[in-house]
Amino acid sequence: MAPRLNHRSPAVQQLILNPRAERRLKMGHLWIYSNEVDTKRSPLKGLEPGGQCEILDSNGKSLGYALVNPNQLICGRLVSRGDPFNSKQLQRRLESALALRERYFPHPSYRMVYGDSDGLPGLVVDRFGDYLVVQVSSWGMETLLGDIVDALVSLVKPKGILLRNDHQGRKVEELPEVSEVAHGEVPQLVPFEENGVALLAPVYQGQKTGWFYDHRDNRARLNQWVKGLNVLDLFSYAGGWGVQALAHGAAQVTCVDASGQALDWCEENAALNNRRDDLVTIQGKAIDAMKELINEGQRFDAIVLDPPAFIKRRKDQKSGEAAYRHINELALRLLEKNGLLVSASCSMHLESDTLLEILRGAGRHLDKNISIIGSGGQGADHPVHPAIPETRYLKAHFVHLAAGSNY
């Protein structure tokens, strides 16, 4: 486990910014790029990854304190605009994050800490009732991990805390990949609740922390419209959309995923809700499965299209947008008239309006009349920092396919 923070403020080094580089920070952003640092006056070389530095503007005025990694483009993340960051401030941030979730969620199943938005850049904590799953993606939070675990134990009193620090994001910061229980015991599948539906999250082997809470509100919107419908859930993972649709009265749900293990989890979640017999699973790539379903002449009353991010970097923009258009065209071809398509994207670099334009183009290309009957984003447990557009990444559009003639 990582060492604890000193309660007394240690001496810290200073980083001086280039002229006018402080503007974004003064507007509320937290990130400091290496090309914004005056390296002649304050070299980055030699700084310890995860260490704390005082940030000064070009005139020597203090802007606060940041946790740094001198080897990255984002070389600093502001954690305090006053005194050096310490364990008391960490405790208060966690208390504030918990208070927000307890205010807006009746059941203790949510993302309890969402990085920058909760003033803890590089830290994610998902809560599944009595269990917590922690992910760290920055050296700054890695150095505080011991304090983080202690504070979470004191604050939430969980039965167990799992550190899922074996994800791709740690490679960027050159952090070691490790998955281990830091407190108590954590079962392979942890029980929780979303939109009134009992579910199990595969926290050890599943993607990310084991679950994707971000679409909770969008799933709730779909749930009100699925009774009696035949639903196709593409990129289904463990059944977040599909199993909830079954629990809310869908006649049948077909889940498609490349992972057989994910489909096994779908089946377990469907069985938990006494709807296993109404779940059909197809293992394979979504695009291949969609083409096969089209060839078979199958149609669905509602389709959920929630793929992984096709645009992970700016250079992927053109190819990623083409991929979104292709899968949305396939989905529209599988949709019954008077049907509903949920078209989602978790690509931060894809604007919501761009996804709308992709949907418009797909509809016109296929000569289909579509209407947008609703749009959504991430839930309250993924709060958007108003000065950090990067914290807003999720979008979902609800698309109605007209039953009448084309016009």
Side-chain angles (χ1 to χ4, degrees), residues 120-140:
L120 296 168
L123 177 65
V124 162
V125 180
D126 277 359
R127 185 176 186 182
F128 301 93
D130 291 325
Y131 303 96
L132 302 178
V133 180
V134 176
Q135 285 196 327
V136 168
S137 58
S138 72
W139 265 108

Side-chain angles (χ1 to χ4, degrees), residues 45-67:
K45 188 176 181 179
L47 293 177
E48 283 293 321
Q52 188 168 180
C53 286
E54 184 178 16
I55 307 302
L56 308 178
D57 68 15
S58 58
N59 295 317
K61 182 179 179 181
S62 179
L63 300 170
Y65 293 83
L67 299 174

Side-chain angles (χ1 to χ4, degrees), residues 126-203:
D126 277 359
R127 185 176 186 182
F128 301 93
D130 291 325
Y131 303 96
L132 302 178
V133 180
V134 176
Q135 285 196 327
V136 168
S137 58
S138 72
W139 265 108
M141 287 298 116
E142 183 79 1
T143 62
L144 310 183
L145 194 50
D147 286 276
I148 290 167
V149 170
D150 288 349
L152 289 172
V153 170
S154 173
L155 189 60
V156 179
K157 296 178 176 56
K159 290 181 179 178
I161 297 177
L162 174 66
L163 304 181
R164 274 297 305 273
N165 288 331
D166 54 353
H167 54 92
Q168 288 291 112
R170 289 175 67 87
K171 289 184 178 180
V172 176
E173 292 256 326
E174 300 177 346
L175 285 162
E177 295 183 37
V178 61
S179 178
E180 62 181 353
V181 174
H183 170 75
E185 296 181 353
V186 180
Q188 288 290 321
L189 297 173
V190 296
F192 71 105
E193 179 183 304
E194 185 176 292
N195 296 322
V197 178
L199 296 160
L200 297 169
V203 293

Side-chain angles (χ1 to χ4, degrees), residues 3 31 49 116 150 154 165 168 226 231 251 293 311 318 326 373:
W31 299 358
D116 295 281
D150 288 349
S154 173
N165 288 331
Q168 288 291 112
V226 296
V231 179
L293 291 168
I311 309 173
K318 186 175 181 179
H326 182 48
I373 61 169

Side-chain angles (χ1 to χ4, degrees), residues 161-279:
I161 297 177
L162 174 66
L163 304 181
R164 274 297 305 273
N165 288 331
D166 54 353
H167 54 92
Q168 288 291 112
R170 289 175 67 87
K171 289 184 178 180
V172 176
E173 292 256 326
E174 300 177 346
L175 285 162
E177 295 183 37
V178 61
S179 178
E180 62 181 353
V181 174
H183 170 75
E185 296 181 353
V186 180
Q188 288 290 321
L189 297 173
V190 296
F192 71 105
E193 179 183 304
E194 185 176 292
N195 296 322
V197 178
L199 296 160
L200 297 169
V203 293
Y204 285 87
Q205 297 175 286
Q207 297 179 31
K208 304 290 186 177
T209 64
W211 197 253
F212 296 95
Y213 279 127
D214 49 6
H215 269 304
R216 179 200 314 263
D217 293 352
N218 300 316
R219 290 173 182 143
R221 176 175 258 177
L222 177 65
N223 290 344
Q224 66 184 324
W225 293 327
V226 296
K227 189 172 183 179
L229 301 188
N230 183 14
V231 179
L232 175 63
D233 180 9
L234 296 154
F235 306 96
S236 67
Y237 182 48
W241 294 89
V243 172
Q244 286 192 47
L246 283 171
H248 283 85
Q252 180 176 288
V253 169
T254 300
C255 284
V256 178
D257 201 277
S259 166
Q261 178 66 82
L263 296 176
D264 289 343
W265 295 326
C266 281
E267 292 174 356
E268 290 195 60
N269 277 320
L272 186 63
N273 287 276
N274 300 311
R275 295 298 306 275
R276 173 63 189 88
D277 292 343
D278 301 310
L279 176 71

